[in-house]
Amino acid sequence: MSEFKVKFRGVRGSYPVAKQEFLGYGGNTACVEVNVGGHLIILDAGTGFINLGDELTEKYITSAIEPKDRTPVKGIVLISHIHQDHILGFTFFRPLHIRSTVLDVYGNVNYNETLSDELANLLFGKSFPLDLGNIGGNLNIHDLNETDGILLRPGEAPIVKRIENDSDLQISDEDVLITCYRSYAHPQEGVMVYKITYKGKTLVYATDKESYPGGDQKLANFAKNCDLIIHDSQYTTEDYLSVYSPKQGYGHSTFEMALECKKQIKAKQLVFFHYDPSYDDEKLNQIKEKYTNIDSDTILAYEGLEINLL
């Protein structure tokens, strides 16, 4: 299936908000749905992950009368890091409790730890009625290194392969390739930046990273000439440099930093993402007016926003 569609399910950073004046952009935390080449890829499992799970469950139930005849939920989840706002929706993702579900989860944690153990400790056991081992679906949790690539082929299970040089990136026209690297521009253990490539189009997901003076050369090399970059934009410059409560060192970028990144990597389109939970619709509308006038190829993410890259 030739498609490369991106849908935003949660665009907020730090913690979810549920006030009326935040509904225009949405109050759920980070989750982006990508349907590409017949595969479902989900970027982060914040509270936006919950609504996506509800929709996938409904599709599963209505696909056939008998459970044995229904189309199972299958997907890839890419975790940028294990801070709570990026995994809060995980335990409430309803397809996890359906036996036919197959979910492959990838991410990177600190040395001498595993993603499976970290998710079990943070989300299950004492903080949830079920243990990780009691999940009904087929949940496969993998540790991912920045030298690894994930190759998705029609009708096959994901293939993890080591990427050593550019020649390793050659894929067929029907394959989807996921590559990544670990950025240390977010405390305390860094964050994974992901790139999805299909039919010559590229999407880069760079949330929860702070920019550097002069730009981020590692990101520039990784994301060069991408078609779409989703970039952390948690703060205005005023808040970032506040005399009373400065945000330098928090691991997040400003809107200016994200825009500068777009220019540096020569991305075709930029989506601002991961807004501070104190920014209501009125403030974000003012930000939208300012930055879309500066660069018409920039968009403020909101829940339900869809972008088609093909």
Side-chain angles (χ1 to χ4, degrees), residues 92-299:
F92 299 99
F93 185 71
R94 288 174 62 196
L96 280 179
H97 308 288
I98 300 172
R99 290 187 179 276
S100 61
T101 295
V102 180
L103 208 64
D104 286 283
V105 182
Y106 297 87
N108 185 280
V109 293
N110 204 6
Y111 304 107
N112 301 318
E113 297 172 342
T114 68
L115 182 61
S116 179
D117 287 344
E118 290 295 280
L119 291 178
N121 292 333
L122 289 169
L123 295 175
F124 295 90
K126 293 182 179 180
S127 61
F128 193 71
L130 299 177
D131 286 323
L132 184 59
N134 299 132
I135 294 300
N138 299 284
L139 181 62
N140 310 307
I141 302 177
H142 313 269
D143 296 315
L144 193 66
N145 295 315
E146 62 179 340
T147 55
D148 293 333
I150 305 170
L151 189 61
L152 304 179
R153 288 177 170 156
E156 297 184 15
I159 301 168
V160 178
K161 59 180 294 185
R162 186 179 180 87
I163 305 295
E164 295 183 348
N165 52 60
D166 290 344
S167 63
D168 292 331
L169 300 178
Q170 298 302 316
I171 58 176
S172 77
D173 194 49
E174 298 303 317
D175 294 341
V176 178
L177 180 66
I178 302 167
T179 51
C180 61
Y181 80 89
R182 187 173 183 177
S183 169
Y184 291 92
H186 189 75
Q188 298 180 6
E189 299 173 1
V191 61
M192 296 296 278
V193 177
Y194 292 104
K195 179 166 62 179
I196 302 171
T197 303
Y198 178 64
K199 289 188 179 295
K201 300 291 185 178
T202 54
L203 162 67
V204 174
Y205 180 72
T207 188
D208 289 64
K209 61 166 300 299
E210 194 165 354
S211 192
Y212 299 105
D216 187 335
Q217 192 58 52
K218 192 170 184 178
L219 177 60
N221 293 337
F222 180 76
K224 186 177 180 181
N225 297 322
C226 68
D227 293 277
L228 175 66
I229 182 166
I230 301 169
H231 196 288
D232 186 282
S233 311
Q234 177 134 346
Y235 302 122
T236 63
T237 300
E238 291 76 15
D239 286 340
Y240 183 78
L241 300 176
S242 168
V243 174
Y244 302 103
S245 180
K247 302 301 190 297
Q248 287 179 319
Y250 278 33
H252 295 288
S253 290
T254 66
F255 292 88
E256 279 88 354
M257 290 173 182
L259 190 58
E260 184 60 33
C261 174
K262 175 183 181 291
K263 296 175 183 177
Q264 186 180 28
I265 67 178
K266 299 180 179 178
K268 294 181 178 65
Q269 194 171 36
L270 162 68
V271 175
F272 295 121
F273 184 72
H274 202 271
Y275 314 128
D276 190 85
S278 68
Y279 292 1
D280 61 13
D281 292 341
E282 182 179 0
K283 181 160 187 171
L284 289 174
N285 282 335
Q286 293 171 353
I287 291 169
K288 176 183 177 181
E289 182 177 2
K290 176 179 179 179
Y291 289 102
T292 54
N293 284 333
I294 294 174
D295 187 333
S296 60
D297 293 319
T298 60
I299 302 174

